[in-house]
Amino acid sequence: MTWYKVPDLQYTTNPFIKKVKINGKGICLVGYEGTIYAISSTCPHAGGELSGGWCRDGKITCPIHRYSYNLNTGRGDPGQNDYVDTHPVEIREDGIYIGMTSFFEKVKQAFK
Ligand code: FES
């Protein structure tokens, strides 16, 4: 896993949703109830932009067809049968970092 510093973002307990580009991937950063979550910014249903959505009950809701995804696990609501990728977040002295695992690393772990 490689850790990437998020540019232009300081830790805050205020709620926010922001899209950033990290290592070429669109990441949706969500500040929700004092915790920062990092999930894929593309909705797996039909490609909606999750950073245009809203949060409630620990989930983010896509603005296009209102599918919802758990901010912790990435799981879609029952019946959706889908999920979004989630990434670990670390708050360090010099900023916010997101951990990302490459496709190659995931394949390597699958065959351990
Ligand atoms: S595109 Fe997100 S719910 Fe359909």
Side-chain angles (χ1 to χ4, degrees):
M1 178 177 297
T2 306
W3 290 88
Y4 297 91
K5 186 176 179 185
V6 178
D8 305 324
L9 184 68
Q10 298 299 315
Y11 175 74
T12 175
T13 56
N14 294 331
F16 70 91
I17 301 176
K18 175 184 173 120
K19 182 181 179 180
V20 295
K21 202 106 171 158
I22 303 285
N23 195 30
K25 293 189 173 180
I27 302 293
C28 181
L29 286 170
V30 180
Y32 179 77
E33 295 186 346
T35 300
I36 297 180
Y37 300 90
I39 61 173
S40 170
S41 67
T42 304
C43 178
H45 176 235
E49 178 52 58
L50 288 173
S51 64
W54 58 90
C55 295
R56 192 170 65 191
D57 301 330
K59 299 173 184 176
I60 188 165
T61 300
C62 178
I64 308 298
H65 307 104
R66 300 183 179 211
Y67 277 28
S68 291
Y69 300 91
N70 184 294
L71 289 168
N72 257 320
T73 65
R75 279 194 189 148
D77 271 355
Q80 290 179 197
N81 298 317
D82 60 0
Y83 68 93
V84 291
D85 285 333
T86 60
H87 304 279
V89 175
E90 277 189 7
I91 313 299
R92 300 181 187 173
E93 279 186 20
D94 65 334
I96 298 169
Y97 285 77
I98 296 176
M100 297 182 80
T101 304
S102 70
F103 176 75
F104 180 69
E105 287 172 318
K106 287 179 188 171
V107 170
K108 241 171 77 177
Q109 287 170 357
F111 288 99
K112 272 189 176 178

